[in-house]
Amino acid sequence: MIRYALACEKGHAFESWFPDSAAYDKQVKRKLVACPHCGSAKVEKAIMAPRLAGARKRSASAEAPPEAPVAAPEKAQEKKSVAMISPQEQEFRSKLKELREHLTKNADHVGTKFPEEARKMHYGEIEHRSIYGEASTEDAKALAEEGIEFHPLPILPDERN
Ligand SMILES: [Zn+2]
């Protein structure tokens, strides 16, 4: 089994398990994978590895305070993404939580100016610092094409339900 971090067209991040990468491709192509937040079947793989240096976020959850539970509407496909959490995953989860708390405490929230700020840093117009904010799917794509590295802020399992 492989776990993929996914994001829908609206930038909602979520995770799902697949037997292998071919199964992922097939399921996404046949629109069998839906966003648990909005039900959209337009999903793609998100870059997941959290990095402290210059960590950012672009998911829609930026609108909510970091620790507030996000009330997601119940969707038919929601039963797809359940998981038994092993002690290792619990550990991982608490690390994510730490990382997220660290980031939101130490990084500047630049809101929708994120793409602009990220670009300025990338091209050396302003000093590098940790920022986080919101970026649309197009912005995110453009940044990636320019070789600007950023990551969605980790989302904790219990905030998605
Ligand atoms: Zn969504």
Side-chain angles (χ1 to χ4, degrees), residues 103-120:
L103 286 181
T104 49
K105 232 178 268 166
N106 297 289
D108 281 348
H109 185 236
V110 295
T112 51
K113 280 165 83 180
F114 177 82
E116 194 184 320
E117 292 287 297
R119 221 168 247 129
K120 278 191 206 157

Side-chain angles (χ1 to χ4, degrees), residues 44-121:
E44 51 188 35
K45 272 181 245 181
I47 300 155
M48 182 61 180
R51 281 196 200 184
L52 276 173
R56 340 267 151 85
K57 83 190 279 185
R58 69 174 170 102
S59 79
S61 69
E63 270 123 48
E67 288 310 306
V70 177
E74 293 282 309
K75 290 285 172 210
Q77 274 100 339
E78 197 148 42
K79 55 179 165 323
K80 276 188 175 178
S81 47
V82 291
M84 295 291 291
I85 298 189
S86 68
Q88 287 89 337
E89 299 230 273
Q90 290 281 19
E91 166 82 26
F92 179 60
R93 189 187 170 289
S94 76
K95 285 267 153 53
L96 279 186
K97 192 167 175 211
E98 253 171 60
L99 168 69
R100 209 170 113 145
E101 275 164 8
H102 181 88
L103 286 181
T104 49
K105 232 178 268 166
N106 297 289
D108 281 348
H109 185 236
V110 295
T112 51
K113 280 165 83 180
F114 177 82
E116 194 184 320
E117 292 287 297
R119 221 168 247 129
K120 278 191 206 157
M121 271 185 233

